[in-house]
Amino acid sequence: MTTTPDGEVTTTSEETARGCPVIDFDFTVERPALEYFTFLDGLREEAPIAWNTYGGGFWMLNRNALVGEAFQTPEVFSSSATVPTLPNPDYHFIPTMENGAEHRKYRAVLNPQFSPKVVATLEPSIRRDCIDLIESLVEKGSVDLVADFAMVFPTKVFLQIVDLPAEDTDTFVTWVEDVFAGLGNAAKAEGMAAAMEGIRVYFTTFMEEWRANPGDPETSFFGRLLNSNIGDRPIRDDEFLNMSLVLLLAGLDTVKSQMGYMFYHLATHPEDRQRIIDEPEIAANAVEEFLRANAIVMDGRKLAQDVDFHGCPMKKDDMVMLTLAAASRDTTEFDHADQIDFDRKAVTHFSFGSGPHRCLGSHLARLELRVVLEEWHKRIPHYRLDPAVAREDIVESGPQLGLSSLPLVWEV
Amino acid sequence: MTDTTDTTTDTTEPDGPFRVVIDRDKCVGHGRCYSLAPEVYVDDEEGFSELADGDTPATPELRDKARLGAVTCPEGAISLVPL
Ligand code: SF4
């Protein structure tokens, strides 16, 4: 049984899981940029559904329609565990890992705070943060886009939305990186636990201060959350702390990773970059294409019951990866699916998930990415990969796909 | 299991006049419909979709907009029902 980076999957009859292809594929290894996408393109064509023996073993759904079906059948594909290699996590994220009516109660509190209308009111301040950060880089002429910009900007946006001091940016950046490094990677579990504890203590202190000296609940994000009702009862302290952690984790690393791929593409495709410079009005559609062509989240679900899923007999408690990176480049769904095409007509993609757990921050993420495209190219229109760094040293890894660094240079 | 092709048949595009129906149980607030076709769809307080102005688009332009919203909804929550 072999799997190769260029997407070849070979199986023999005894290597099929209950009739479906088996692979052994580790998502945590660093590979040159975009290799995971190419590999997953190949896998999707050969195996719409595969069993991956990596970790504890999990199913992979690799076609768009299969992923959509799983998202939209939450009574079968439950969210009680959402990292494919962690079927029995020792944490419980709210609302991420809630299901059904309980989940709906939490979302009813959170959705209005992240609705498109509310997010739109934040645009001026998000744009200001973005401009300030870019202007601090212009004169440098070189940057690690990932560490110096893509991680910092969403953190600043987050702190501003939730009214926490901007000086805490660096602390949050480190915590979030440690948590993500530990998700699905046992070797880094300790650092993850320490970071989660740090975040918990931070928010506990905040909560106690707020309770002792409540501000106006209408003007502060966490004030509103602390004052909210879950169904017909007030929110509990543990729920507040849990949700605060989840909001933090969900909003930062994802935007960072997406931005890394966006700039990698633009640095290596000057003609596309020129279009962003010349026609900034295409930015919103360009963002949609970046989200589709480089979907970074490898969402997981846990089987709530036995099911025969398109010929693969899945068992209760099996884990399933919804391989968005493969699904959103599905050749049966999209023309020239592996190409980024700013003129592509509006399409349906699942990069923000689907079904009841649809990404809460999707409207905010779209806004952040669009503002970055617009403002960056007004100030630093021309840039390229640092020629001093070999192409194969620009690497990515999963499980949530992202570039480790992206060295860019420009003339000053 | 349900067949995902159902969602595409939900959003088949009638040539003649039609009524727009939003399935509020399926809508989860992606906001594709009201971002791309605000003439037909608007968002409520939670970001879920509502009809801007009656369920029967009167002009060909509005019908095109209604179709755009329907085909881009990741949930297949919008159906166009021929009159
Ligand atoms: S696109 Fe679909 S899910 Fe999103 S708001 Fe419109 S109807 Fe709802």
Side-chain angles (χ1 to χ4, degrees):
Chain A
M1 160 75 226
T2 48
T3 53
T4 61
D6 46 12
E8 233 174 88
V9 180
T10 52
T11 51
T12 63
S13 56
E14 58 280 14
E15 285 175 324
T16 57
R18 310 163 200 162
C20 291
V22 175
I23 64 168
D24 177 22
F25 190 68
D26 179 352
F27 286 86
T28 61
V29 177
E30 289 193 334
R31 292 164 174 266
L34 302 181
E35 257 194 36
Y36 276 100
F37 291 95
T38 312
F39 167 75
L40 292 169
D41 282 342
L43 179 64
R44 179 194 59 238
E45 297 306 311
E46 296 192 37
I49 303 178
W51 174 260
N52 189 349
T53 57
Y54 175 72
F58 51 88
W59 298 99
M60 292 175 70
L61 308 185
N62 303 320
R63 284 212 178 274
N64 205 50
L66 298 174
V67 165
E69 184 176 349
F71 272 134
Q72 290 162 16
T73 322
E75 50 302 347
V76 178
F77 294 90
S78 102
S79 287
S80 54
T82 58
V83 175
T85 50
L86 297 175
N88 300 298
D90 54 8
Y91 54 85
H92 178 80
F93 288 157
I94 303 175
T96 324
M97 292 158 71
E98 295 288 333
N99 286 290
E102 277 304 302
H103 172 255
R104 180 70 198 111
K105 287 180 199 162
Y106 292 109
R107 286 297 290 251
V109 170
L110 292 170
N111 284 346
Q113 305 224 42
F114 288 91
S115 75
K117 284 196 185 107
V118 168
V119 165
T121 64
L122 302 169
E123 180 167 340
S125 59
I126 288 176
R127 194 175 290 277
R128 213 174 317 118
D129 270 354
C130 183
I131 292 172
D132 286 350
L133 190 54
I134 297 166
E135 293 198 330
S136 74
L137 301 173
V138 173
E139 293 303 318
K140 289 190 190 283
S142 73
V143 78
D144 173 4
L145 193 279
V146 173
D148 301 336
F149 184 77
M151 189 64 210
V152 182
F153 172 57
T155 308
K156 282 194 187 297
V157 170
F158 175 82
L159 293 177
Q160 199 202 97
I161 289 175
V162 301
D163 261 335
L164 293 175
E167 306 87 85
D168 293 339
T169 302
D170 292 346
T171 314
F172 276 100
V173 165
T174 313
W175 279 336
V176 170
E177 297 204 316
D178 288 351
V179 170
F180 274 90
L183 273 180
N185 188 344
K188 298 188 174 163
E190 243 174 65
M192 172 178 171
M196 292 211 335
E197 181 58 15
I199 297 168
R200 203 188 58 78
V201 170
Y202 184 101
F203 282 123
T204 304
T205 311
F206 173 87
M207 182 179 74
E208 283 163 358
E209 276 170 16
W210 199 88
R211 286 249 153 93
N213 191 2
D216 176 357
E218 281 320 302
T219 58
S220 116
F221 177 90
F222 281 132
R224 280 194 298 272
L225 193 56
L226 274 166
N227 256 17
S228 64
N229 284 320
I230 307 300
D232 50 14
R233 58 161 178 85
I235 191 170
R236 293 190 312 261
D237 289 0
D238 63 299
E239 289 168 325
F240 169 80
L241 293 171
N242 193 315
M243 287 157 88
S244 305
L245 169 69
V246 171
L247 291 174
L248 173 71
L249 295 180
L252 305 195
D253 213 66
T254 45
V255 179
K256 174 193 89 169
S257 300
Q258 198 69 56
M259 241 178 241
Y261 287 115
M262 188 165 94
F263 276 93
Y264 183 86
H265 177 83
L266 293 170
T268 52
H269 294 76
E271 63 297 348
D272 277 353
R273 200 176 64 236
Q274 194 63 45
R275 286 198 62 196
I276 300 284
I277 299 165
D278 297 341
E279 310 162 59
E281 65 282 2
I282 65 171
N285 207 45
V287 164
E288 239 26 68
E289 261 302 86
F290 290 127
L291 289 163
R292 183 197 64 79
N294 295 124
I296 52 162
V297 178
M298 298 290 196
D299 215 347
R301 292 291 186 266
K302 187 169 180 173
L303 266 297
Q305 60 186 63
D306 293 356
V307 63
D308 180 59
F309 192 65
H310 298 268
C312 293
M314 302 186 177
K315 293 269 171 267
K316 182 172 186 296
D317 295 334
D318 281 357
M319 288 303 295
V320 183
M321 173 181 271
L322 283 59
T323 320
L324 295 175
S328 66
R329 294 151 64 96
D330 189 338
T331 49
T332 59
E333 200 91 21
F334 311 107
D335 292 334
H336 52 284
D338 59 350
Q339 304 293 312
I340 289 177
D341 174 2
F342 294 163
D343 296 321
R344 193 184 294 278
K345 291 243 178 62
V347 294
T348 298
H349 63 74
F350 296 123
S351 299
F352 288 118
S354 163
H357 288 268
R358 187 267 309 167
C359 171
L360 175 67
S362 61
H363 308 298
L364 178 61
R366 283 187 166 108
L367 172 63
E368 288 181 51
L369 295 169
R370 175 171 58 79
V371 167
V372 165
L373 273 185
E374 292 165 356
E375 298 302 336
W376 182 282
H377 294 94
K378 278 184 211 161
R379 292 168 180 79
I380 310 176
H382 301 294
Y383 50 90
R384 58 202 166 108
L385 301 183
D386 184 346
V389 178
R391 206 44 110 81
E392 60 274 18
D393 289 337
I394 300 179
V395 295
E396 66 188 358
S397 63
Q400 179 175 288
L401 294 173
L403 300 173
S404 306
S405 67
L406 181 61
L408 299 180
V409 293
W410 59 89
E411 308 293 328
V412 287
Chain B
M1 300 293 311
T2 49
D3 185 345
T4 39
T5 52
D6 283 349
T7 55
T8 43
T9 47
D10 276 346
T11 54
T12 45
E13 303 175 18
D15 296 330
F18 53 79
R19 206 158 54 85
V20 183
V21 180
I22 302 172
D23 183 340
R24 294 270 296 181
D25 289 335
K26 281 191 184 169
C27 173
V28 297
H30 285 276
R32 301 313 293 148
C33 57
Y34 52 77
S35 313
L36 297 164
E39 302 83 347
V40 178
Y41 307 96
V42 292
D43 56 330
D44 72 4
E45 190 214 345
E46 268 196 66
F48 295 160
S49 181
E50 289 177 345
L51 288 165
D53 190 21
D55 59 4
T56 310
T59 64
E61 294 75 39
L62 285 178
R63 281 199 283 279
D64 281 349
K65 284 289 190 171
R67 283 190 195 96
L68 180 63
V71 297
T72 51
C73 172
E75 310 300 321
I78 299 172
S79 334
L80 309 177
V81 184
L83 288 178

